[in-house]
Amino acid sequence: LSSGINAEYGHYKDGSAIPDKLLDKLVASKQANVATTTCRQLVFALFDQDIHTKENADTAASFSNANERVMGTPAPASTNFAAQFGHMAGGYDAQYYGYMWSEVYSDDMFQSVFRDAGVLSKEAGLKYRTCILQPGGSIDAFDMLKNMLGREPNSDAFFKAKGFA
């Protein structure tokens, strides 16, 4: 990792390499609070699914229930998180879970195509351009992803990136 980063980055004054110990700490910090933030996204997705699949929804109760189900604690009494959560009224319509799926797919692409080749690899970049960017909307996005990976996508890289595997 350090050779790739230090090939592109260095100290802003003298260009010296970033020390390996500092890079190791930076990489390790990626895992800080990952369980909490992942669970938070899951709460939002469950809440979104719940309120968009009912004729009438009590948003305060729905959010509190989702929070208790995932985080183990209800939302604070006399609060209504949904009142300030603009995503729920902005056209998502039970699709908030897409945030987490996009992480699953991007982690799979990174681990499968870019990690070993390098993020600046010409071959990996051309594969991305050919399989994802070039077809644009002419091919279903899931099919483009399968073409890029050469297989069905899976969640293994997502769990690994989160430190859960």
Side-chain angles (χ1 to χ4, degrees):
L1 176 69
S2 62
S3 63
I5 289 177
N6 281 323
E8 294 296 318
Y9 303 100
H11 192 277
Y12 78 102
K13 286 185 178 176
D14 62 15
S16 62
I18 301 168
D20 287 343
K21 278 187 171 183
L22 182 57
L23 283 174
D24 291 343
K25 288 179 181 180
L26 181 62
V27 170
S29 74
K30 179 182 177 193
Q31 301 303 326
N33 299 314
V34 72
T36 301
T37 56
T38 301
C39 287
R40 182 175 177 261
Q41 289 299 308
L42 183 56
V43 168
F44 294 162
L46 290 171
F47 168 65
D48 183 32
Q49 289 288 304
D50 187 50
I51 65 170
H52 285 98
T53 55
K54 293 179 175 174
E55 187 71 28
N56 294 303
D58 179 342
T59 57
S62 178
F63 182 80
S64 188
N65 291 339
N67 203 69
E68 187 162 17
R69 181 176 166 195
V70 175
M71 304 296 263
T73 180
S78 301
T79 64
N80 188 351
F81 171 80
Q84 61 84 35
F85 192 43
H87 288 309
M88 295 304 110
Y92 281 76
D93 301 335
Q95 295 181 37
Y96 193 87
Y97 66 91
Y99 279 120
M100 202 169 289
W101 273 116
S102 69
E103 281 191 78
V104 169
Y105 297 149
S106 66
D107 287 340
D108 198 0
M109 275 199 298
F110 179 79
Q111 290 292 324
S112 301
V113 179
F114 291 97
R115 185 193 62 196
D116 292 335
V119 295
L120 300 176
S121 161
K122 182 177 181 178
E123 294 78 22
L126 285 172
K127 186 172 188 178
Y128 180 73
R129 182 168 71 184
T130 302
C131 295
I132 305 295
L133 300 177
Q134 189 172 15
S138 67
I139 298 175
D140 181 78
F142 194 72
D143 290 332
M144 288 191 288
L145 179 60
K146 289 189 298 186
N147 292 341
M148 172 105 177
L149 296 171
R151 60 170 170 74
E152 291 280 329
N154 63 59
S155 57
D156 296 346
F158 171 79
F159 289 117
K160 184 177 179 182
K162 297 287 185 192
F164 299 154

